[in-house]
């Protein structure tokens, strides 16, 4: 839940619109941005597993996605494959941005 994320990871840094801020500040921003901004920023962080390692442990891959051929490349050569994505209404990309390009 949102409350759990804030309590457990509120001080963890995350990437928001190309800027770094902690999760607690982003949640505070998103509450207000949803009321006043046409296109509020969304959190799209591919490094959350290193800034909040316990959050990585809170997630498990569903069985139908268990086969992972990129695993053969090892952690240093595989493309990014974990993201934390959050945002209020009207946030997000107006077009798809390939995160591994």
């Amino acid at each position: 839940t949102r409350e759990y994320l804030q309590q457990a990871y509120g001080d963890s840094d995350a990437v928001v619109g190309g800027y770094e801020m902690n999760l607690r500040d982003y949640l505070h921003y998103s509450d207000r941005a949803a009321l006043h901004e046409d296109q509020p920023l969304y959190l799209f962080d591919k490094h959350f597993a290193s800034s909040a390692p316990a959050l990585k442990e809170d997630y498990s891959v569903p069985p139908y996605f268990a086969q992972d051929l990129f695993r053969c490349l090892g952690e240093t050569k595989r493309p990014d494959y974990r993201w934390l994505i959050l945002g209020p209404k009207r946030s997000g990309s107006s077009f798809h941005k390939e995160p591994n390009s």
Side-chain angles (χ1 to χ4, degrees):
T1 65
R2 178 189 173 100
E3 292 76 23
Y4 172 72
L5 283 174
Q6 187 162 338
Q7 177 187 5
Y9 307 107
D11 294 326
S12 299
D13 289 333
V15 177
V16 177
Y19 302 97
E20 227 178 77
M21 69 173 62
N22 69 41
L23 184 58
R24 186 177 328 283
D25 289 344
Y26 175 72
L27 293 173
H28 180 76
Y29 157 80
S30 69
D31 288 341
R32 276 116 189 103
L35 298 174
H36 305 291
E37 295 184 21
D38 290 334
Q39 293 183 314
L41 297 174
Y42 64 106
L43 184 153
F44 190 108
D45 190 358
K46 65 182 179 181
H47 299 293
F48 80 93
S50 59
S51 62
L55 183 56
K56 178 179 76 172
E57 301 306 319
D58 283 345
Y59 175 79
S60 61
V61 176
Y64 37 86
F65 293 122
Q67 185 178 18
D68 179 6
L69 298 178
F70 284 120
R71 186 180 302 155
C72 297
L73 298 174
E75 285 297 315
T76 58
K77 293 185 178 182
R78 74 179 303 154
D80 296 323
Y81 64 104
R82 286 186 275 223
W83 302 276
L84 178 63
I85 304 171
L86 300 170
K89 290 180 181 179
R90 298 181 313 283
S91 66
S93 175
S94 58
F95 56 91
H96 178 72
K97 296 178 185 176
E98 176 56 47
N100 287 316
S101 62

